[in-house]
Amino acid sequence: PEYSARAFSKFRDGFVVGEGAAAMVIGLERETKTHSMTTIAKLSGCSSANDAHHFVHPNENGISINIQHCLKNAQLSYKEIDAIFPHATSTQLGDNAEYLALKSTFQGKLKDVYLMCIKNSIGHLLGASGAIAAVMAVKSIKEQNVIPNRIEKDEIEFSDLNLSYENERAELIHVLCNTSGFGGHQAACIFSKILN
């Protein structure tokens, strides 16, 4: 396991399957007020697609287009995203495709956006991985805390990625979650801090 689940590392060699589940309650703003519910964050936008590029090989264009649709749905610019929970499978094909998609979408700003690769710590929960990332995104917004990555800084293959290696406080207003699946399935959502 110490040599696996190392997303974006030069030494990545596939993922470790994890176990777990997550759920969250998403409601309309008027309903939360009516029922005096505490609102932790706002779902600003989401998008899903299937590029059907290949049964298992991800396609960076499909990933990038879906993230751009998500940004459009949220009425946000890529410049407003503070952090990303990438799919980050620790596979050569997956990491390379996602890196190229993020690089083209975020252009020169990618180095300023925190990447929080939680599969490095908890493994790949397969169908539950997107739900876990969403819950962790909301938690990071609530606590204004960057979740550290479980790899060493000098291992990173791509020099323009901003991975944190220890608990770090940061202003997180908009956080993007990106997930991919076999057959070209793509899903992305953006959670935002509730501003007064």
Side-chain angles (χ1 to χ4, degrees):
E2 64 268 23
Y3 295 109
S4 298
R6 303 169 80 81
F8 303 113
S9 166
K10 297 174 205 172
F11 309 111
R12 66 190 180 277
D13 188 23
F15 59 81
V16 174
V17 176
E19 186 176 6
M24 70 171 57
V25 176
I26 300 174
L28 297 173
E29 187 176 7
R30 67 176 179 267
E31 292 176 351
T32 61
K33 288 180 179 175
T34 300
H35 299 290
S36 300
M37 299 171 76
T38 302
T39 306
I40 301 171
K42 172 178 144 182
L43 176 61
S44 296
C46 54
S47 178
S48 63
N50 186 336
D51 60 44
H53 170 73
H54 189 274
F55 181 67
V56 293
H57 296 186
N59 176 5
E60 62 265 22
N61 293 326
I63 297 169
S64 178
I65 289 168
N66 190 58
I67 291 172
Q68 290 172 38
H69 286 169
C70 182
L71 288 164
K72 185 176 180 181
N73 181 254
Q75 298 181 343
L76 292 170
S77 160
Y78 69 89
K79 297 175 184 177
E80 296 175 271
I81 301 299
D82 301 302
I84 302 169
F85 279 82
H87 191 60
T89 59
S90 304
T91 61
Q92 293 287 337
L93 288 171
D95 284 3
N96 286 336
E98 188 168 26
Y99 167 72
L100 292 172
L102 293 173
K103 185 173 176 129
S104 69
T105 303
F106 286 85
Q107 302 174 28
K109 190 185 185 295
L110 185 56
K111 64 184 181 306
D112 301 321
V113 180
Y114 292 105
L115 253 66
M116 297 185 252
C117 305
I118 58 174
K119 289 182 183 75
N120 291 349
S121 297
I122 64 172
H124 194 331
L125 278 59
L126 305 177
S129 63
I132 292 279
V135 168
M136 295 305 292
V138 170
K139 188 169 176 58
S140 67
I141 289 169
K142 180 183 178 188
E143 298 180 358
Q144 293 291 284
N145 192 54
V146 176
I147 298 169
N149 293 277
R150 192 195 61 100
I151 54 176
E152 299 298 323
K153 187 173 185 178
D154 59 359
E155 295 179 1
I156 298 303
E157 181 172 9
F158 309 107
S159 60
D160 53 349
L161 293 182
N162 182 12
L163 287 92
S164 184
Y165 304 96
E166 55 189 44
N167 281 314
E168 184 177 342
R169 303 287 294 169
E171 185 177 15
L172 303 176
I173 307 299
H174 303 291
V175 176
L176 168 73
C177 294
N178 180 60
T179 59
S180 301
F182 286 162
H185 288 89
Q186 312 294 342
C189 55
I190 297 170
F191 294 95
S192 302
K193 181 178 179 182
I194 304 219
L195 303 171
N196 296 328

